[in-house]
Amino acid sequence: MLLGRLFHVNTIDPNLSALIEQLVARPFALQTSARKAAVLATAQTLLLLKNKDVQVFVHRVFAQPVLEPYLYDVDRLVRDRALDVLELVVLDVDAMGVRGLVAALARRVDGCVVLRCLAAVVKQLPWNRCIEKGEARRLGLMIANMGVSLLLSIHPAVDGSDVDTVQMQITSSGVDTTEAPITSSDVDSIQTPITSSDVDSIQTQVAKAAQQSPSASSMIACEAARIVREHSQTTFSAHTASSMCLLLSNPRVQQHTQLVQLVLSTLLQTLRLAHNRTHVQMVPRLICTFAIRAPGLRGVFDLALELLGSCNAEFVQGLEHAIRTRIVDVEWEARDTVLEFVTRAVREHAWPCVELLVTQQVVDDAVRALSDAEEYVRASAAYLLAAVVERGDEERARYVSEHKHLTQSDLARLVADSEAFVKRAALDLVHALGTRGVGMWIECLTYRTLYDLADDPDFEVRVRCARILALLTQTSPVNTSELQSTSLLLEMCRDSSRYVRAECLRSLRELKQNTPDVDMTNEPEPKRVYVGERTDLWEKLRNVDLAQLEASLSAEHLYQEALDTQVARELMREKSDANAGNNILDCY
């Protein structure tokens, strides 16, 4: 790497060039793994210099016969370095060079290494500077279809289905598939420098290696899936989409988590490149595949979220059915992921786009999830119901508030949950019900509950508590005296968290603006307000110094106040009762 940096300073130095050639010319068997990795790192650094003369030098010194032994080294670090170099070399190799590389790979017996090299070739072909774009696309397509054929030969369908059957199912679902599946005869008719014998030879060699043991079969299948995944990054193929969908429905494939993830990522990327949003009916089918666990399910839902705004009612209804299927999954991560997706859909799309998605049956499932044994599921269900109340139409909000399984005791139990993030979600739901003016949301609150929430260790719970106290003061004057919401809100103005104080300031300003008999022009002198004072609501609001409260929200103010204070004279001496402390700074 040091030699590479020196090359960056001295473009082509004869002494440096001779030294690198001498290192590479050393017999391969006599080189240590550290030396091999260093030589390859030098080549990688030189190729990244973007200097034509230097790149020509590297291509000459690290020609294919020189690089090939490193690709098959016993040390994985050396092999990985060699693959990195190969990716950079492919960028400046012409079509005949690619043909020579594939022909050389066809003579090897190490199936996994061969497939890794082909994956590197497919990855860089679209960006090759020496091959015409159409020809590069055809080269990548031939290699990718070899990977698809290899996957289907290792994991044939157990029920006799094939790619054409899957394609017919997609077509009969009402989706216009404008691109026909690619058959073997189509691949044979592609005119490329790579001959069919080279590809067939590689496929035959790798298939034989896959038959040796189950572990070898699994590794080769993963490497073949990586080839197809690299190709799907830039090119859409209906044949690839149908094949990946067929593989995901195979019980043998579903037993291998890594292979499922690779096949799924390939299919999702292929669907993202689909023309005219074709093959979108595969998305609900993927959601119903229980072999796809929570991490993969998030990727499927991300794609569904992208498609939701531009798809027809049939797609949304299929999505709703798939959601109701997975919301009862035995794994809590999957249930949580489903609820999070519906919440995102409601908040990120207009209500008419998701009205068919958030049906009464989905709301019923979300209400039942409030009693789930897993706290994350309970929180996600509460967030979903809050989103429906806030953004849904009047009918759906009323259905949530009057649900027979969402009673006063249910809300009170949720607000008093042992987990802080569940309490946050529950308070969001209570606030949404109160803002919308539906449901008996006040009845689940008592003075003791509000007092405990105002003193909760989690500052985000206290922020939401302040928000609800302000809502109580505004919308329910009758209950204000009983619940002492105003007094609690004023007491929270001295909270240790500036985020809580900021919420109190916003709420108090809103209260003052909505109160005509409170003069906003003249700010009174600062006056401490205690919970026990018997003053009416507006007199308490008049005595709040909003300017001082606003100043205490700035982090810079807190630091500056501490710096400006004379520590020796102000803080090190008691001014009140013994051991009572001074507490004169906002930052304490």
Side-chain angles (χ1 to χ4, degrees), residues 443-486:
E443 295 183 0
C444 71
L445 301 173
T446 63
Y447 172 75
R448 187 65 199 176
T449 300
L450 293 173
Y451 184 84
D452 291 340
L453 292 173
D455 196 41
D456 195 272
D458 187 80
F459 79 93
E460 292 192 23
V461 171
R462 301 200 301 274
V463 167
R464 288 162 171 80
C465 177
R467 196 174 301 154
I468 288 180
L469 290 173
L471 184 62
L472 278 169
T473 305
Q474 284 182 325
T475 60
S476 183
V478 176
N479 294 282
T480 298
S481 176
E482 179 184 351
L483 298 177
Q484 299 186 30
S485 57
T486 306

Side-chain angles (χ1 to χ4, degrees), residues 279-298:
H279 293 77
V280 294
Q281 295 298 337
M282 285 185 179
V283 175
R285 183 175 176 177
L286 291 175
I287 296 173
C288 293
T289 304
F290 281 85
I292 300 177
R293 306 295 178 86
L297 202 58
R298 293 188 188 97

Side-chain angles (χ1 to χ4, degrees), residues 515-537:
T515 307
D517 58 338
V518 177
D519 186 10
M520 294 290 295
T521 57
N522 298 321
E523 289 290 347
E525 291 296 326
K527 180 180 178 181
R528 291 189 180 274
V529 179
Y530 295 93
V531 177
E533 291 186 358
R534 297 184 176 274
T535 57
D536 59 17
L537 168 63

Side-chain angles (χ1 to χ4, degrees), residues 353-385:
C353 295
V354 297
E355 185 174 5
L356 295 176
L357 181 68
V358 190
T359 59
Q360 292 184 357
Q361 291 79 9
V362 172
V363 173
D364 293 341
D365 292 334
V367 171
R368 281 193 291 269
L370 292 176
S371 303
D372 196 278
E374 182 58 44
E375 55 270 16
Y376 291 101
V377 179
R378 298 197 298 271
S380 297
Y383 280 129
L384 170 56
L385 294 175

